Amino acid sequence: MKTTLIKVGLDAIYFSGGHIAMRPFCRGIGAILTMHHVVPRKEARFAPNNILEITPEFLVRVIKMVRRKGYDIVSLDEAHRRITAPDAQKPFVCLTFDDGYRDNLEIAYPILRRNDAPFAIYVATSYPDRVGELWWLALEEIISKCDYIGVLMAGDQQHFSSRTLAEKQEVWDKLYWWLRNLPQKEQRQVIRDLCARYDVDLVAMCEKMIMSWDEIHKLAFDPLVTIGAHTVNHFALAKLSEADARAEMVTSAEIISSYIGERPKHFSFPYGDPGSAGPRDFEIAKDAGFLTAVTTRKGVVHKEYADHMTALPRISLNGNYQSLRYLDVFLGGTAFSLKNRMRHLDIA
Ligand SMILES: [Zn+2]
């Protein structure tokens, strides 16, 4: 329902031509796109994480469309240069992928290479180290295969029926957001307990879904590719102490550096919403030496971000909105400017 309403709103902006009239004011100097998986569309009925998946065909269409609209597809280094020293160049688009999924190498990379399109992959190091929890994928697998789920919530054993698709969706909404809001270490303990109880192998999940260090190392050799950091444990940094948040950022950069021989200059905040990354964390990222850091706050990049390079907004290519029309509206920036009451910065 919510998705439908948003689509109607985007269509209204598109067909009214509002995005064209306001474009000179709202478009900014570029945009950074967020992606996760690039995979053929699955037919599974219960697939709540498919918002994180775009198809290879859509990726090709995005590359062609942004170039047709006059954007340069550039690396994060070049985006950094253009934001901090704006000149009268064409607007830019950066293509970024979070987490380090193997489909980025096997499916997205050949497409990006063929189209000579620079891109970045942000790696959370516990995943290629095979000790991390891909907890949102584990939760999907548990709900998908179980008809009945028991969870200890705040000391109480709760039971959920998850037989029908509607029930599975309901349990997902409840458990996903409950887990998202738990203290980070407790969240992982709950997931580990659930995985043990319902026979989901977190190590095997990392091995299957995430590139190995060897694969990341090979990719890093290609000048088209930027490897960025994405913490060690994929924690929402705003929920950690300052010391822990700093350690997550610095340690992930050091681990990546030990594998690819170069310290990453770019960082992506896990989850990236205001509750997961705030002003304190933007400062730590700057202090830790990153040239840029990206959030998932929605927006295009305006020149005012030159003073806030570790709080950059992005536009998410959401699996539920695989339409060039929506991307065109988003790139125009009008929707974000209206939401932010015509302010160009969203950094509070
Ligand atoms: Zn992530």
Side-chain angles (χ1 to χ4, degrees):
M1 183 57 192
K2 196 170 156 222
T3 307
T4 312
L5 278 177
I6 293 168
K7 284 180 176 170
V8 169
L10 290 171
D11 281 338
I13 293 176
Y14 182 83
F15 288 112
S16 69
H19 65 301
I20 296 168
M22 291 172 71
R23 180 155 278 186
F25 176 73
C26 301
R27 186 182 68 178
I29 54 177
I32 306 170
L33 307 187
T34 313
M35 290 165 276
H36 291 83
H37 300 277
V38 179
V39 285
R41 195 77 182 158
K42 289 197 214 63
E43 290 310 319
R45 288 171 65 235
F46 177 69
N49 285 307
N50 68 6
I51 58 166
L52 302 177
E53 300 177 358
I54 60 165
T55 64
E57 295 76 25
F58 187 63
L59 177 60
V60 173
R61 293 173 63 214
V62 167
I63 294 168
K64 297 206 150 89
M65 181 258 209
V66 297
R67 285 184 171 151
R68 198 170 59 239
K69 295 270 176 188
Y71 289 81
D72 289 332
I73 298 178
V74 304
S75 67
L76 288 170
D77 280 349
E78 173 62 11
H80 174 267
R81 196 190 67 72
R82 291 190 186 195
I83 301 165
T84 49
D87 46 26
Q89 298 191 57
K90 290 198 282 179
F92 69 84
V93 158
C94 288
L95 306 174
T96 68
F97 297 83
D98 282 11
D99 301 337
Y101 295 108
R102 177 165 288 120
D103 56 66
N104 295 176
L105 170 69
E106 292 179 346
I107 301 177
Y109 178 53
I111 293 170
L112 295 156
R113 176 110 285 290
R114 205 158 52 238
N115 286 278
D116 202 23
F119 65 100
I121 298 181
Y122 297 108
V123 176
T125 56
S126 64
Y127 299 144
D129 277 341
R130 309 310 188 209
V131 294
E133 300 91 357
L134 289 161
W135 68 268
W136 55 97
L137 295 173
L139 183 66
E140 175 178 317
E141 188 170 327
I142 291 165
I143 297 176
S144 175
K145 73 179 189 180
C146 295
D147 288 342
Y148 187 79
I149 295 167
V151 195
L152 196 62
M153 295 173 92
D156 270 344
Q157 187 66 36
Q158 305 271 338
H159 301 280
F160 301 97
S161 172
S162 51
R163 268 199 308 272
T164 66
L165 183 59
E167 283 176 346
K168 286 184 193 299
Q169 204 60 56
E170 201 175 312
V171 177
W172 167 267
D173 289 341
K174 201 165 275 167
L175 292 184
Y176 177 87
W177 286 108
W178 173 65
L179 283 161
R180 265 291 288 269
N181 292 320
L182 277 184
Q184 300 293 280
K185 284 170 192 162
E186 192 181 333
Q187 171 199 73
R188 301 311 167 88
Q189 197 49 53
V190 172
I191 271 295
R192 288 193 169 271
D193 290 349
L194 280 172
C195 286
R197 189 184 303 183
Y198 296 107
D199 199 22
V200 169
D201 184 341
L202 285 164
V203 174
M205 191 167 263
C206 280
E207 283 169 349
K208 179 173 167 225
M209 303 300 292
I210 302 282
M211 287 184 281
S212 67
W213 282 116
D214 257 4
E215 289 168 322
I216 294 166
H217 189 213
K218 268 183 218 136
L219 260 189
F221 269 111
D222 189 324
L224 280 184
V225 181
T226 300
I227 301 293
H230 192 43
T231 73
V232 176
N233 291 299
H234 207 277
F235 286 150
L237 295 183
K239 294 177 181 158
L240 302 181
S241 71
E242 180 169 349
D244 284 353
R246 186 181 300 272
E248 282 283 336
M249 288 188 225
V250 172
T251 311
S252 68
E254 283 167 1
I255 293 174
I256 291 171
S257 161
S258 76
Y259 280 104
I260 70 172
E262 193 185 345
R263 194 180 194 275
K265 290 178 277 183
H266 306 277
F267 181 82
S268 163
F269 291 101
Y271 313 103
D273 59 290
S276 305
R280 182 203 69 178
D281 310 298
F282 305 150
E283 275 307 306
I284 301 175
K286 191 160 116 191
D287 200 46
F290 292 110
L291 288 183
T292 74
V294 292
T295 67
T296 54
R297 293 172 190 238
K298 296 171 180 49
V300 294
V301 180
H302 289 278
K303 62 182 187 325
E304 288 86 346
Y305 275 97
D307 295 326
H308 305 278
M309 291 300 288
T310 50
L312 297 173
R314 288 190 289 178
I315 295 172
S316 189
L317 296 186
N318 179 314
N320 290 334
Y321 300 83
Q322 294 190 57
S323 152
L324 294 182
R325 210 159 73 205
Y326 301 145
L327 178 59
D328 189 28
V329 171
F330 287 140
L331 287 174
T334 309
F336 309 123
S337 291
L338 292 174
K339 183 178 154 283
N340 292 327
R341 283 172 285 162
M342 302 322 272
R343 281 193 301 258
H344 280 166
L345 287 170
D346 176 13
I347 53 170

mmCIF file of all heavy atoms in Angstrom, residues 36 98-101 122 124 127 136 230 234 268-271 314, ligand 1:
data_model
loop_
_atom_site.group_PDB
_atom_site.id
_atom_site.type_symbol
_atom_site.label_atom_id
_atom_site.label_comp_id
_atom_site.label_asym_id
_atom_site.label_seq_id
_atom_site.Cartn_x
_atom_site.Cartn_y
_atom_site.Cartn_z
ATOM 1 N N HIS A 36 22.624 -3.022 -3.949
ATOM 2 C CA HIS A 36 23.101 -4.156 -3.154
ATOM 3 C C HIS A 36 23.330 -5.343 -4.084
ATOM 4 O O HIS A 36 24.415 -5.543 -4.574
ATOM 5 C CB HIS A 36 22.104 -4.488 -2.038
ATOM 6 C CG HIS A 36 22.049 -3.445 -0.967
ATOM 7 N ND1 HIS A 36 21.295 -2.303 -1.066
ATOM 8 C CD2 HIS A 36 22.692 -3.365 0.227
ATOM 9 C CE1 HIS A 36 21.473 -1.559 0.020
ATOM 10 N NE2 HIS A 36 22.308 -2.182 0.819
ATOM 11 N N ASP A 98 26.732 -1.831 -1.694
ATOM 12 C CA ASP A 98 27.035 -2.070 -0.281
ATOM 13 C C ASP A 98 27.179 -3.565 0.012
ATOM 14 O O ASP A 98 26.477 -4.391 -0.582
ATOM 15 C CB ASP A 98 25.911 -1.505 0.606
ATOM 16 C CG ASP A 98 26.009 0.012 0.762
ATOM 17 O OD1 ASP A 98 26.802 0.640 0.040
ATOM 18 O OD2 ASP A 98 25.281 0.558 1.602
ATOM 19 N N ASP A 99 28.044 -3.889 0.948
ATOM 20 C CA ASP A 99 28.168 -5.196 1.616
ATOM 21 C C ASP A 99 29.177 -6.159 0.979
ATOM 22 O O ASP A 99 29.756 -6.978 1.671
ATOM 23 C CB ASP A 99 26.824 -5.935 1.765
ATOM 24 C CG ASP A 99 25.803 -5.119 2.560
ATOM 25 O OD1 ASP A 99 26.222 -4.247 3.329
ATOM 26 O OD2 ASP A 99 24.589 -5.349 2.378
ATOM 27 N N GLY A 100 29.348 -6.130 -0.362
ATOM 28 C CA GLY A 100 30.328 -7.018 -0.998
ATOM 29 C C GLY A 100 29.769 -8.343 -1.481
ATOM 30 O O GLY A 100 30.430 -9.389 -1.392
ATOM 31 N N TYR A 101 28.561 -8.324 -2.008
ATOM 32 C CA TYR A 101 27.923 -9.570 -2.475
ATOM 33 C C TYR A 101 28.636 -10.164 -3.682
ATOM 34 O O TYR A 101 29.140 -9.437 -4.539
ATOM 35 C CB TYR A 101 26.450 -9.326 -2.805
ATOM 36 C CG TYR A 101 25.646 -8.947 -1.586
ATOM 37 C CD1 TYR A 101 25.185 -7.654 -1.408
ATOM 38 C CD2 TYR A 101 25.405 -9.887 -0.584
ATOM 39 C CE1 TYR A 101 24.478 -7.295 -0.266
ATOM 40 C CE2 TYR A 101 24.701 -9.541 0.559
ATOM 41 C CZ TYR A 101 24.235 -8.247 0.714
ATOM 42 O OH TYR A 101 23.556 -7.884 1.848
ATOM 43 N N TYR A 122 31.482 -1.351 -1.138
ATOM 44 C CA TYR A 122 31.810 -1.135 0.276
ATOM 45 C C TYR A 122 31.727 -2.470 1.006
ATOM 46 O O TYR A 122 30.664 -3.095 1.051
ATOM 47 C CB TYR A 122 30.818 -0.168 0.903
ATOM 48 C CG TYR A 122 30.814 1.234 0.310
ATOM 49 C CD1 TYR A 122 29.757 1.666 -0.493
ATOM 50 C CD2 TYR A 122 31.848 2.127 0.590
ATOM 51 C CE1 TYR A 122 29.726 2.958 -1.003
ATOM 52 C CE2 TYR A 122 31.825 3.422 0.080
ATOM 53 C CZ TYR A 122 30.759 3.831 -0.715
ATOM 54 O OH TYR A 122 30.718 5.109 -1.214
ATOM 55 N N ALA A 124 31.966 -4.892 4.336
ATOM 56 C CA ALA A 124 31.963 -5.080 5.802
ATOM 57 C C ALA A 124 32.820 -6.321 6.060
ATOM 58 O O ALA A 124 32.466 -7.427 5.656
ATOM 59 C CB ALA A 124 30.541 -5.279 6.326
ATOM 60 N N TYR A 127 32.229 -10.219 6.866
ATOM 61 C CA TYR A 127 31.584 -11.141 5.910
ATOM 62 C C TYR A 127 32.612 -11.928 5.080
ATOM 63 O O TYR A 127 32.552 -13.151 5.068
ATOM 64 C CB TYR A 127 30.574 -10.392 5.028
ATOM 65 C CG TYR A 127 29.447 -9.758 5.822
ATOM 66 C CD1 TYR A 127 28.898 -8.538 5.446
ATOM 67 C CD2 TYR A 127 28.936 -10.377 6.965
ATOM 68 C CE1 TYR A 127 27.870 -7.952 6.183
ATOM 69 C CE2 TYR A 127 27.920 -9.793 7.704
ATOM 70 C CZ TYR A 127 27.383 -8.582 7.309
ATOM 71 O OH TYR A 127 26.372 -8.012 8.039
ATOM 72 N N TRP A 136 19.639 -10.125 8.244
ATOM 73 C CA TRP A 136 18.371 -9.909 7.534
ATOM 74 C C TRP A 136 18.108 -11.049 6.540
ATOM 75 O O TRP A 136 16.954 -11.415 6.314
ATOM 76 C CB TRP A 136 18.349 -8.542 6.854
ATOM 77 C CG TRP A 136 19.512 -8.309 5.911
ATOM 78 C CD1 TRP A 136 19.511 -8.481 4.562
ATOM 79 C CD2 TRP A 136 20.840 -7.879 6.274
ATOM 80 N NE1 TRP A 136 20.757 -8.188 4.052
ATOM 81 C CE2 TRP A 136 21.588 -7.812 5.068
ATOM 82 C CE3 TRP A 136 21.453 -7.539 7.464
ATOM 83 C CZ2 TRP A 136 22.943 -7.430 5.056
ATOM 84 C CZ3 TRP A 136 22.792 -7.157 7.440
ATOM 85 C CH2 TRP A 136 23.520 -7.110 6.254
ATOM 86 N N HIS A 230 33.017 -0.531 5.132
ATOM 87 C CA HIS A 230 31.592 -0.548 5.520
ATOM 88 C C HIS A 230 31.472 -1.128 6.940
ATOM 89 O O HIS A 230 30.550 -1.863 7.221
ATOM 90 C CB HIS A 230 30.851 -1.407 4.480
ATOM 91 C CG HIS A 230 29.353 -1.333 4.505
ATOM 92 N ND1 HIS A 230 28.647 -0.163 4.643
ATOM 93 C CD2 HIS A 230 28.410 -2.305 4.368
ATOM 94 C CE1 HIS A 230 27.336 -0.431 4.591
ATOM 95 N NE2 HIS A 230 27.176 -1.725 4.444
ATOM 96 N N HIS A 234 29.059 -4.565 10.482
ATOM 97 C CA HIS A 234 27.795 -4.050 9.950
ATOM 98 C C HIS A 234 26.852 -3.631 11.077
ATOM 99 O O HIS A 234 25.665 -3.953 11.067
ATOM 100 C CB HIS A 234 27.116 -5.078 9.031
ATOM 101 C CG HIS A 234 26.226 -4.435 7.998
ATOM 102 N ND1 HIS A 234 24.926 -4.056 8.276
ATOM 103 C CD2 HIS A 234 26.438 -4.089 6.712
ATOM 104 C CE1 HIS A 234 24.396 -3.517 7.192
ATOM 105 N NE2 HIS A 234 25.296 -3.516 6.229
ATOM 106 N N SER A 268 31.033 3.704 3.776
ATOM 107 C CA SER A 268 29.571 3.709 3.730
ATOM 108 C C SER A 268 29.032 3.297 5.102
ATOM 109 O O SER A 268 29.468 2.288 5.659
ATOM 110 C CB SER A 268 29.100 2.736 2.646
ATOM 111 O OG SER A 268 27.739 2.420 2.819
ATOM 112 N N PHE A 269 28.112 4.080 5.647
ATOM 113 C CA PHE A 269 27.520 3.769 6.950
ATOM 114 C C PHE A 269 26.496 2.641 6.811
ATOM 115 O O PHE A 269 25.555 2.782 6.019
ATOM 116 C CB PHE A 269 26.813 5.010 7.528
ATOM 117 C CG PHE A 269 27.753 6.103 7.937
ATOM 118 C CD1 PHE A 269 27.952 7.213 7.120
ATOM 119 C CD2 PHE A 269 28.452 6.020 9.138
ATOM 120 C CE1 PHE A 269 28.828 8.221 7.492
ATOM 121 C CE2 PHE A 269 29.330 7.028 9.519
ATOM 122 C CZ PHE A 269 29.522 8.125 8.693
ATOM 123 N N PRO A 270 26.642 1.543 7.556
ATOM 124 C CA PRO A 270 25.632 0.486 7.503
ATOM 125 C C PRO A 270 24.241 1.046 7.812
ATOM 126 O O PRO A 270 24.095 1.895 8.694
ATOM 127 C CB PRO A 270 26.078 -0.495 8.586
ATOM 128 C CG PRO A 270 27.564 -0.312 8.648
ATOM 129 C CD PRO A 270 27.781 1.160 8.417
ATOM 130 N N TYR A 271 23.263 0.589 7.077
ATOM 131 C CA TYR A 271 21.864 1.070 7.132
ATOM 132 C C TYR A 271 21.794 2.526 6.657
ATOM 133 O O TYR A 271 21.025 2.826 5.754
ATOM 134 C CB TYR A 271 21.241 0.902 8.523
ATOM 135 C CG TYR A 271 21.492 -0.478 9.103
ATOM 136 C CD1 TYR A 271 22.452 -0.687 10.088
ATOM 137 C CD2 TYR A 271 20.812 -1.592 8.594
ATOM 138 C CE1 TYR A 271 22.718 -1.954 10.583
ATOM 139 C CE2 TYR A 271 21.068 -2.864 9.092
ATOM 140 C CZ TYR A 271 22.026 -3.039 10.087
ATOM 141 O OH TYR A 271 22.293 -4.280 10.566
ATOM 142 N N ARG A 314 22.426 9.602 -0.727
ATOM 143 C CA ARG A 314 22.408 8.738 -1.929
ATOM 144 C C ARG A 314 20.974 8.535 -2.416
ATOM 145 O O ARG A 314 20.015 8.836 -1.725
ATOM 146 C CB ARG A 314 23.037 7.372 -1.627
ATOM 147 C CG ARG A 314 24.537 7.426 -1.452
ATOM 148 C CD ARG A 314 25.178 6.031 -1.402
ATOM 149 N NE ARG A 314 24.873 5.309 -0.169
ATOM 150 C CZ ARG A 314 25.279 4.065 0.076
ATOM 151 N NH1 ARG A 314 25.969 3.385 -0.831
ATOM 152 N NH2 ARG A 314 24.986 3.487 1.240
HETATM 153 ZN ZN ZN B 1 25.250 -2.724 4.318
#
